[in-house]
Amino acid sequence: MLNLTACRYFLEVVHLGSIRLAADRLHVSPSAISRQIAKLEREFGEPLFDRRANGVQLTEAGTLAAEHFASILGQIDLIRGEMSDLRKLKSGSVSIATVDGVTDPYLSEQILAFRKRFPAVDFRMRIRGRERVLEALEKRICQVGFVYDHFSHPMMEIVGQWRQPLLALVPPSHPFADGRAVKLPDIADCDCVLPDDSYGIHHLVNRAFRKFGGKPKAIMVADQLHFLIRHAIRSNAIVYVPLQAALREVEAGELVPLNLSCGDFEHRFIYAIVRRDQRRSPACDAFIAMLTSSFSKHEKADATMLKRLRAAQA
């Protein structure tokens, strides 16, 4: 009989690429995980990982096992979720894969509000670059995802969208923070911080600069938006993020939006997406319904805040 604990341990190692990191995440010893993986390898008669000095790499058999295990555990979660629906969401689970820009405070606050209504529902969130979010849905690791910018994917369905233009934010002491109208060539010589190329923002900013033969003067590239936002404040640099990614800093007056005219930055959306053929738990469907119903309200609130901020700079 297939050992579900072994499957979960195996998938955690797959996701993190390391037995030690998986052990830390699961709060068990590395030897416990190694034993469970060894049992699976004996059961299937094939090695599932190549062990290397810097971690582990899936074998061909391991890749096949990962796909099937994710599907099996997804079905088990679905059964649990459907049973919880009979108990009016007295229990259940929601798994999310998302890009960084809406995690805090938005998703954190929405999860808190949902759990006030359904306190027995638990959440698991993976914060990844866009491609990894899509991968998590493709492999049924997560039930709902959030990504920026329009895309076409035969497996995915958009269930909600929220307009979030890309902003150029700076500390109030920045030379261009006085509300003057600027275009990208005007700020090409200004220091900026950028997310790395796992983010759509990275590619969007570089494409916009290339249109006039320019290049952003990035003094810092990193894979974490919160770090970049704080570093921009400390170094008096420009940070390119949507409002929701830096909402606390904007509300606190630590960052203000440049009066930047850039058509490439205007028409961006956050999309809530699901895999078309995946049956989701009732808890997940209830959470998606709550979330997407609030998108238009938050979109209007964003527009109102930006209008107020720019009026104050005039």
Side-chain angles (χ1 to χ4, degrees):
M1 180 179 290
L2 190 61
N3 185 321
L4 296 181
T5 298
C7 292
R8 293 189 188 278
Y9 285 7
F10 170 79
L11 288 176
E12 198 65 40
V13 175
V14 172
H15 300 153
L16 296 176
S18 164
I19 290 174
R20 180 181 59 80
L21 292 177
D24 290 343
R25 175 73 64 82
L26 295 168
H27 305 293
V28 298
S29 68
S31 61
I33 291 183
S34 294
R35 285 194 299 272
Q36 293 294 342
I37 292 174
K39 287 179 182 178
L40 290 174
E41 290 177 327
R42 286 196 299 272
E43 184 169 347
F44 292 105
E46 293 282 348
L48 302 180
F49 289 113
D50 287 328
R51 275 72 169 175
R52 301 179 179 180
N54 61 346
V56 294
Q57 180 74 39
L58 280 173
T59 62
E60 186 175 352
T63 300
L64 183 64
E67 293 176 359
H68 286 292
F69 291 170
S71 178
I72 290 167
L73 293 180
Q75 289 298 313
I76 290 171
D77 285 343
L78 177 64
I79 292 167
R80 288 173 177 160
E82 290 183 341
M83 288 181 177
S84 78
D85 193 37
L86 298 175
R87 300 189 297 272
K88 297 183 179 179
L89 294 182
K90 290 181 180 178
S91 65
S93 181
V94 180
S95 55
I96 301 168
T98 180
V99 292
D100 203 359
V102 290
T103 55
D104 186 32
Y106 178 72
L107 276 179
S108 179
E109 291 175 347
Q110 295 299 309
I111 290 169
L112 182 64
F114 187 85
R115 293 197 73 250
K116 284 183 178 178
R117 295 174 57 194
F118 308 109
V121 173
D122 61 77
F123 283 78
R124 179 165 186 172
M125 185 155 64
R126 296 176 181 273
I127 303 170
R128 300 287 190 268
R130 171 195 177 92
E131 295 306 313
R132 295 290 299 279
V133 170
L134 293 174
E135 181 184 5
L137 293 181
E138 287 171 358
K139 294 185 175 180
R140 305 178 192 271
I141 296 167
C142 294
Q143 299 167 296
V144 59
F146 297 91
V147 295
Y148 281 106
D149 300 323
H150 184 69
F151 68 98
S152 178
H153 193 299
M155 292 184 185
M156 303 302 162
E157 177 183 1
I158 295 170
V159 292
Q161 65 185 55
W162 169 7
R163 184 171 179 266
Q164 288 199 5
L166 186 65
L167 303 178
L169 298 173
V170 295
S173 58
H174 193 276
F176 286 95
D178 56 8
R180 78 184 86 169
V182 295
K183 295 185 178 180
L184 279 184
D186 301 323
I187 58 174
D189 291 331
C190 295
D191 291 346
C192 72
V193 299
L194 279 179
D196 70 16
D197 60 7
S198 67
Y199 286 77
I201 292 171
H202 178 100
H203 301 285
L204 176 60
V205 170
N206 278 283
R207 281 198 305 271
F209 271 85
R210 282 198 298 270
K211 286 186 176 181
F212 63 88
K215 184 179 180 181
K217 187 181 175 185
I219 61 170
M220 173 64 71
V221 175
D223 63 355
Q224 212 264 357
L225 291 186
H226 178 71
F227 169 78
L228 289 170
I229 289 164
R230 301 311 305 176
H231 193 73
I233 293 169
R234 295 186 182 100
S235 57
N236 207 30
I238 300 170
V239 59
Y240 296 96
V241 289
L243 178 60
Q244 285 298 316
L247 188 61
R248 286 198 178 98
E249 288 78 8
V250 171
E251 289 177 333
E254 295 179 287
L255 289 173
V256 296
L258 294 185
N259 185 11
L260 175 65
S261 175
C262 179
D264 292 316
F265 291 178
E266 285 298 314
H267 302 291
R268 297 186 75 239
F269 291 81
I270 187 75
Y271 293 96
I273 60 174
V274 296
R275 181 170 169 141
R276 292 181 187 276
D277 63 351
Q278 184 173 7
R279 294 181 64 196
R280 296 174 299 278
S281 69
C284 184
D285 279 338
F287 180 67
I288 291 171
M290 184 195 82
L291 213 66
T292 55
S293 68
S294 73
F295 275 5
S296 62
K297 178 184 74 173
H298 287 283
E299 186 174 311
K300 291 176 183 176
D302 286 353
T304 299
M305 176 180 285
L306 285 174
K307 185 176 180 180
R308 175 175 57 79
L309 290 168
R310 286 179 170 142
Q313 291 172 298

